[in-house]
């Protein structure tokens, strides 16, 4: 489902992805806060369209102002246990990894996903980008379905 929100004009590019982190201190008293703060905190979004006809609005957080964009929850690429991983199955992340220099780290601890949540696998992407897992985990790279919008989250 597409939602219209406001985002920093430098970030307003179709297909750009971001994780919504919630209200910033500069949002206090802003007349546009209802249009900006309308997403679910912690969810990864993809910009599907930039409203080019809209004006750039002043913003205390974004120095170049904000623009109206259409967004939708985005899938998340992640490494999960290879055992039992197939499209349509459920999976959880394996847990934190201290090896931040590993080429798979961004997939073992993906932005917009939680270790204590279960996800549906939309697609098996294939082998993870690392040659060797420092935690000796047998992983596969998948695309997780976007989390369902939840009230109160």
């Amino acid at each position: 489902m597409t939602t219209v929100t406001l985002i920093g004009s430098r970030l307003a590019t179709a297909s750009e992805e971001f994780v919504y982190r919630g209200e910033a201190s500069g949002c206090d008293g802003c007349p546009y806060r209802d249009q900006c703060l309308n997403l679910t905190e912690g969810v990864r979004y993809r910009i599907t369209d930039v409203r080019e006809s809209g004006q750039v609005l002043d913003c205390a957080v974004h120095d170049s102002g904000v623009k109206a964009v259409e967004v939708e929850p985005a899938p998340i690429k992640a490494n999960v246990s290879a055992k039992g991983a197939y499209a349509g199955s459920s999976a959880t992340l394996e847990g934190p990894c201290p090896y931040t220099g590993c080429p798979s780290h961004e997939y073992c601890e993906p932005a917009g996903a939680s270790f204590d949540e279960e996800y549906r696998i939309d697609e098996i992407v294939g082998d993870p980008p690392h040659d060797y897992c420092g935690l000796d985990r047998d992983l596969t790279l998948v695309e997780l379905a976007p989390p369902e919008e939840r009230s109160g989250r």
Side-chain angles (χ1 to χ4, degrees), residues 9-56:
S9 61
R10 290 186 205 171
L11 306 171
T13 305
S15 75
E16 183 73 29
E17 292 186 9
F18 64 94
V19 176
Y20 178 67
R21 298 291 182 201
E23 184 173 353
S25 59
C27 298
D28 289 339
C30 176
Y32 311 116
R33 64 183 288 120
D34 289 343
Q35 291 84 23
C36 264
L37 305 175
N38 61 343
L39 302 177
T40 302
E41 201 168 326
V43 171
R44 182 179 205 87
Y45 290 92
R46 177 181 297 138
I47 298 173
T48 58
D49 191 34
V50 178
R51 299 261 175 114
E52 296 299 340
S53 61
Q55 62 185 13
V56 175

Side-chain angles (χ1 to χ4, degrees), residues 55-106:
Q55 62 185 13
V56 175
L57 304 170
D58 289 334
C59 177
V61 176
H62 297 277
D63 64 350
S64 60
V66 292
K67 292 181 85 168
V69 296
E70 294 178 17
V71 298
E72 64 185 14
I76 300 168
K77 279 192 178 175
N79 284 332
V80 298
S81 173
K83 183 177 181 180
Y86 58 89
S89 68
S90 294
T92 57
L93 299 175
E94 290 296 292
C97 175
Y99 299 100
T100 57
C102 173
S104 278
H105 191 266
E106 69 180 292

